[in-house]
Amino acid sequence: MTVPPNASAPGPGWYPDPAGSGRLQWWNGSAWTGQFNAPQFQATAPRHPVAPRRRISDRTPVYNAYIWTIVALPLVPLILLMFWNPVLRLRTVGPRQIQTIDPASIFTAPYFLFIAISFVAYGVSALLAYLDWDRLRKDGVVRPFHWAWVFLSREVYVIGRSVIVHEVAPRRGLAPVWVTISVVLLTAVLTGLKMSAIVATLANQAVTV
């Protein structure tokens, strides 16, 4: 753009720099001011669209022993919990002789075994998630749900994995989600019943004393 003559000069505003810098320069209505603004058109870096996941063959298996073991692992500490029958003892503390649970009656060998097995199951889940992720890649699943999500929780990995598998294999892949929901509900119910039984036993001991 050249400097317009005064007889037909446009109004004040930002116009392309007549020097060809690619920026906008302020025209005050009669002359260029030398004030520049951002370019009128800014080039943006080309975006590389993520390729959609292609479907896999109906004959390609979407389940394996790794994912089913991950789903079933929470049942191991649950079974141990059902067989754990702590003998809780009460003791009186303070000048008011307040009764409380004796910690020594809780922190026994079976308790620490239960905690240790829970940690081992957590570590085994991570290993199995990696093996399952690697198996899905070899079976042709593009960008399967990353195995490291299992460190957040087993349930997150199972759900994410199943959603992606269902995307590439319609009408298949969601079974681990439903089994996981069943395991979570079963764990909640049985744990609640076990804790209620322990509390009831403790209450009976307190009444007897």
Side-chain angles (χ1 to χ4, degrees), residues 5 7 15 24 39-40 43 50 63 65 67 72 74 84 93 95 99 106 120 125 129 135 150 156 199 201 203-204:
Y15 297 94
L24 300 179
Q40 187 174 12
V50 178
Y63 307 123
I67 186 62
W84 180 47
V93 296
Q99 288 189 335
I106 299 178
V120 170
S125 296
R135 170 53 56 188
V150 77
V156 168
V199 171
T201 301
N204 292 333

Side-chain angles (χ1 to χ4, degrees), residues 61-70 73 123-141 144-151 157 161 165:
V62 295
Y63 307 123
N64 53 59
Y66 307 130
I67 186 62
W68 289 124
T69 305
I70 292 173
L73 269 177
V124 171
S125 296
L127 174 61
L128 293 174
Y130 171 78
L131 295 174
D132 175 61
W133 172 78
D134 187 56
R135 170 53 56 188
L136 290 176
R137 292 175 60 201
K138 293 177 179 177
D139 286 341
V141 178
F145 196 68
H146 201 277
W147 65 272
W149 283 101
V150 77
F151 289 111
Y157 175 75
R161 183 251 197 214
V165 170

